[in-house]
Amino acid sequence: MKKLNKWIAGLLCMMLVITMVAGLGVMEVKADDAVTTVSSWTELKNAISKGGNIQLGNDIVAETGNSAIYVSNTVTVDLAGHTIDRGCIKATWNGNTFTVSGGDLTIKDTSAAQAGKITGGYNDNNCGGGCIYVDSGILRLESGILTGNKCEDVDANGVDRGGAVGVRSGTFIMTGGEITDNTGDAGENGAGIYVYEGPSLTIGGNAKIYGNRTADGMNSNLSVGNGESSSTIINLSTDSPLTSEAKICIRVSTDSNGKQITTSCKDLKDVFVSDNDSYEITTKDGEEGIFYTKKKSSGGSSTPSTPTSYKLRVGGVEVTSANTSGTGWSYDNQTNTLTLDGFNYEGNGSGIETSKDLNIIIKNENRIKNISSSYSDSTNGWSCGIYAFGNLTITGDGTLDVTGGTADTSHGISVLGKLEIDSQGTIIAKAQATAGTSGIYAYDGIVIKNGNITAYAAEAAYSSRGIECDGDITISGGTVVAKAEKGEISSYGLESGKKITISPNAVVTASGVTAALNKKPEGYTGEIGTTFVSNNTNPNPTPTPEPEPTPEPTPTPSEPSTMQGESTTTSTPASATTASTQGSQQVIPTIIEGAGSSYTQGSGNTIYFRSSDSFANFQKVMVDNAELSADCYTATEGSIIITLKPEYLSTLAAGTHSISIVSANGVATADFEVQTADTTAVSPKTGDNDQAALWITLLLLSCGALTAVGIRKKVR
């Protein structure tokens, strides 16, 4: 029997070993599918050195002394809606973000908006690549945005190539994403992309290459070295066919005369646009493909005798092929893009008026005010600051302050197509008092993805709307304030002819005399009153009434305010609500929402705080007794709502912090908590949980059996 016990014990030991080895084997197989989440430049660099699938957990900024990250194996980087900022302010050797050297690098963005970006590269390299330089190997861009990068060959004085991507050797495959607003310091050699003669370039999907320029403003998007040895300069992707939504602005060496661009693409000829006014994109009878061909001159000159109208007026001036820029503005007809950079207009009529689709990029501070009270046939009789007969898109990180006129119907921004706003800046749209007023109006639909948006409608004889749309209003991000003063018929902060959708990622404050909204947002079950606040930390909070000042014995009504962007009122003047000669006591503001909030490091969330004081009294925000810059938070009405941005929150150490909202009547203070991320919750999976549990169970059973045998042996 003793021999039998020893035999059983030995067998169980073997089972124990097999169990441990098998369990480890299963986990090792599954580890190949792991996704590594990174949150710093060092983590990103280390993960890339190992290869595999990498996902950003939050925005990443390179630190002083960091260099380009070399890619020599197979790597996929998922931006996941975040930003990689190289942070270079001057041309630096290896000032780019990635150098592909024999590796296979894929850039993509799996977030819904696909707005993740790589920016801030500034490379000193005559081979190009302000953002990504391909020395050898493969670069694949599937989604995401390469923007705000530069390349400069400091010593060569003007041989600057590839502000975003430079391909010296190897392969570049672009089937999605955007390459825009990158810069080459001088010359015409692809401020967006430069591909030398020889490397393989493949385009497909909805790839967009546009809006890249040299320092002097010359179009310079995709430039391909095209010598006499080969006429094909761009290949079409067979895995991801080119779509009509693609936009590829190109320039070929000007010594070519009729070079083939790609094959089997006649139906999508309009996707390609020439950056060189002396060349055009054409087809040839009997030949497949489209061609980059020198324009035929007329009368010894390639310049038409009559300038071509671009169906756009800026500051009351018609924009034509002979007039594409002015003080504070420039226009690119190839991309239908108007850039405002310090534009200032006040006059009779719309500051911007177009009869076709238009993209507006805002930089620095811009102001438009229509002071006309006259009817205009070209704008349906509406008195607008900006009027677009087609679709309008607004992007950029500047400020745009727009005011409509006073002729019958006043609109700050008026669009007869669809309006889309995806801005990192501030947009203020105001309508003056008329029969009907709308801060922002669009017929086909309004989509707000990002930005600080204020839409204000003054008192109207008929109706007033902060934001008005005959179609859907969709607010998926940003901070939006929509405010309407009294309208004799109706007054709404948001008025939609179809439906209103507000994402939890958006902070929306709406108010109107009739109601804040003319209908309930999708999924909202509460009642709609005259004020409405929705934000990403508490989608549908119950508004907290502002504390009322002590009433005066005999208050004297004031006249309604005429200041645009501020509420009109018939209450006691502001001076009476503070300590004044009339004897009313000052009401010290307090934090009425948000005290005790918590933020988890790396979560990408925001937290917000609400002071009881009036927004008109807001002055500044302090955290831990240090004043914050305005780019660390957003400030909106209702009373004062301060939302701390995730980019700022990610810089705070774990522990308790204090916030102070400083306003004219005092300081409202509260504490909040920054918590350390639960690393166990975000650790990459290295095996199937159910299978791991099975192996652990077998291990415990084996150990139990061994123990039982040992006990039995002692008893006997």
Side-chain angles (χ1 to χ4, degrees):
M1 183 61 70
K2 290 181 178 180
K3 290 183 179 180
L4 179 59
N5 285 340
K6 290 181 179 179
W7 183 86
I8 293 173
L11 178 61
L12 290 174
C13 285
M14 290 179 64
M15 290 175 62
L16 176 60
V17 172
I18 292 171
T19 299
M20 294 174 66
V21 172
L24 290 173
V26 168
M27 290 192 178
E28 183 64 29
V29 169
K30 289 291 183 179
D32 292 339
D33 297 327
V35 175
T36 302
T37 302
V38 298
S39 300
S40 70
W41 185 269
T42 300
E43 290 179 2
L44 176 63
K45 182 177 181 179
N46 291 339
I48 285 179
S49 69
K50 298 174 183 177
N53 298 316
I54 300 169
Q55 186 177 78
L56 268 62
N58 55 24
D59 292 348
I60 291 177
V61 180
E63 298 177 357
T64 302
N66 288 142
S67 185
I69 299 175
Y70 276 72
V71 181
S72 57
N73 47 27
T74 300
V75 177
T76 296
V77 176
D78 179 4
L79 300 174
H82 297 294
T83 296
I84 300 176
D85 188 348
R86 183 65 176 83
C88 288
I89 59 175
K90 65 179 182 178
T92 306
W93 178 252
N94 277 346
N96 54 315
T97 300
F98 298 117
T99 294
V100 181
S101 182
D104 188 333
L105 172 63
T106 299
I107 302 294
K108 66 179 183 179
D109 185 349
T110 59
S111 68
Q114 295 188 338
K117 61 185 179 181
I118 306 177
T119 189
Y122 200 166
N123 198 13
D124 177 7
N125 186 348
N126 69 349
C127 297
C131 181
I132 303 175
Y133 171 52
V134 183
D135 179 63
S136 60
I138 303 173
L139 169 63
R140 309 173 196 268
L141 179 59
E142 296 180 356
S143 51
I145 305 171
L146 309 186
T147 185
N149 302 283
K150 298 181 180 181
C151 188
E152 178 181 354
D153 183 16
V154 175
D155 296 328
N157 297 321
V159 190
D160 308 309
R161 305 181 174 102
V165 176
V167 186
R168 176 69 178 179
S169 179
T171 298
F172 178 30
I173 302 171
M174 183 177 179
T175 55
E178 297 185 18
I179 297 178
T180 185
D181 201 21
N182 300 282
T183 305
D185 189 63
E188 304 172 358
N189 292 320
I193 304 172
Y194 184 80
V195 180
Y196 277 69
E197 180 184 352
S200 173
L201 173 63
T202 299
I203 298 290
N206 61 344
K208 294 179 175 63
I209 308 166
Y210 67 97
N212 304 281
R213 292 178 176 83
T214 62
D216 57 1
M218 180 177 292
N219 294 321
S220 182
N221 291 286
L222 166 60
S223 181
V224 182
N226 183 31
E228 298 299 327
S229 61
S230 173
S231 62
T232 301
I233 63 171
I234 300 177
N235 304 311
L236 287 182
S237 171
T238 56
D239 297 329
S240 182
L242 194 69
T243 72
S244 60
E245 295 179 356
K247 181 187 295 184
I248 304 165
C249 303
I250 66 171
R251 175 182 294 270
V252 181
S253 300
T254 55
D255 59 356
S256 62
N257 188 8
K259 296 296 182 180
Q260 186 176 349
I261 289 178
T262 186
T263 59
S264 304
C265 197
K266 285 187 175 183
D267 292 340
L268 295 175
K269 177 179 73 68
D270 292 339
V271 164
F272 295 89
V273 179
S274 172
D275 277 349
N276 188 334
D277 289 339
S278 298
Y279 285 73
E280 61 186 348
I281 307 300
T282 63
T283 60
K284 295 183 179 181
D285 293 338
E287 295 187 45
E288 287 297 325
I290 53 181
F291 300 83
Y292 185 86
T293 307
K294 184 171 286 188
K295 290 181 180 178
K296 294 180 180 180
S297 62
S298 175
S301 171
S302 60
T303 303
S305 57
T306 302
T308 302
S309 172
Y310 290 151
K311 300 179 180 179
L312 171 67
R313 296 181 67 84
V314 178
V317 177
E318 184 177 7
V319 180
T320 68
S321 56
N323 176 38
T324 58
S325 64
T327 303
W329 67 273
S330 62
Y331 178 68
D332 182 356
N333 183 56
Q334 296 167 350
T335 60
N336 294 332
T337 299
L338 174 66
T339 300
L340 302 180
D341 190 350
F343 179 64
N344 194 343
Y345 168 81
E346 181 172 329
N348 291 309
S350 302
I352 298 171
E353 184 178 322
T354 180
S355 58
K356 63 178 184 179
D357 293 351
L358 181 65
N359 305 309
I360 295 179
I361 299 175
I362 53 174
K363 298 180 179 181
N364 294 309
E365 295 186 4
N366 305 276
R367 179 177 173 272
I368 296 171
K369 185 174 184 180
N370 185 346
I371 60 174
S372 175
S373 59
S374 302
Y375 183 95
S376 172
D377 288 325
S378 62
T379 59
N380 282 327
W382 300 336
S383 192
C384 314
I386 295 177
Y387 176 84
F389 191 82
N391 300 317
L392 177 64
T393 300
I394 303 177
T395 59
D397 58 3
T399 298
L400 177 61
D401 189 332
V402 185
T403 303
T406 57
D408 190 30
T409 299
S410 179
H411 293 167
I413 298 175
S414 188
V415 182
L416 284 189
K418 182 178 181 179
L419 172 64
E420 180 174 311
I421 299 176
D422 189 1
S423 168
Q424 300 295 324
T426 298
I427 298 172
I428 304 168
K430 296 170 287 189
Q432 299 191 69
T434 58
T437 65
S438 297
I440 294 176
Y441 169 79
Y443 180 80
D444 280 343
I446 294 175
V447 176
I448 298 176
K449 296 181 178 180
N450 198 10
N452 294 316
I453 317 299
T454 298
Y456 168 76
E459 182 174 337
Y462 181 71
S463 59
S464 62
R465 289 74 47 116
I467 298 178
E468 177 192 7
C469 182
D470 290 6
D472 295 335
I473 296 177
T474 302
I475 305 176
S476 60
T479 301
V480 179
V481 176
K483 185 176 183 179
E485 295 299 333
K486 181 180 178 181
E488 293 298 327
I489 305 300
S490 60
S491 167
Y492 297 103
L494 292 176
E495 180 178 313
S496 168
K498 291 185 178 179
K499 64 181 181 181
I500 299 173
T501 303
I502 300 175
S503 166
N505 294 322
V507 179
V508 178
T509 303
S511 61
V513 176
T514 305
L517 291 72
N518 74 319
K519 59 185 61 178
K520 292 182 179 182
E522 295 293 292
Y524 181 81
T525 57
E527 295 299 319
I528 300 295
T530 56
T531 60
F532 175 89
V533 178
S534 173
N535 59 65
N536 58 348
T537 55
N538 185 8
N540 298 306
T542 302
T544 303
E546 295 184 24
E548 296 183 1
T550 304
E552 295 295 324
T554 55
T556 303
S558 63
E559 292 296 324
S561 169
T562 58
M563 182 179 297
Q564 296 301 313
E566 299 292 330
S567 302
T568 59
T569 177
T570 56
S571 63
T572 305
S575 59
T577 66
T578 61
S580 68
T581 57
Q582 296 185 23
S584 62
Q585 186 175 1
Q586 179 176 353
V587 179
I588 302 301
T590 59
I591 298 294
I592 55 178
E593 288 187 44
S597 296
S598 64
Y599 166 79
T600 301
Q601 292 176 336
S603 67
N605 293 329
T606 65
I607 54 177
Y608 85 104
F609 304 87
R610 186 178 179 192
S611 166
S612 60
D613 204 355
S614 170
F615 186 76
N617 294 328
F618 172 64
Q619 295 178 349
K620 62 183 178 180
V621 178
M622 302 180 72
V623 170
D624 298 335
N625 296 320
E627 183 176 351
L628 298 188
S629 62
D631 58 358
C632 295
Y633 63 90
T634 59
T636 54
E637 292 184 272
S639 307
I640 304 174
I641 298 176
I642 301 298
T643 302
L644 298 181
K645 295 183 178 180
E647 294 86 354
Y648 168 71
L649 289 168
S650 65
T651 67
L652 297 178
T656 301
H657 298 267
S658 66
I659 183 171
S660 300
I661 302 177
V662 182
S663 54
N665 286 329
V667 181
T669 302
D671 289 338
F672 65 95
E673 191 80 15
V674 174
Q675 300 177 347
T676 304
D678 183 359
T679 56
T680 60
V682 297
S683 298
K685 290 187 177 181
T686 56
D688 185 271
N689 290 336
D690 294 336
Q691 290 182 338
L694 174 61
W695 292 116
I696 292 170
T697 302
L698 290 174
L699 178 62
L700 293 173
L701 288 174
S702 299
C703 292
L706 282 172
T707 303
V709 169
I711 292 172
R712 182 183 179 190
K713 182 176 180 180
K714 289 180 181 180
V715 172
R716 291 175 64 91

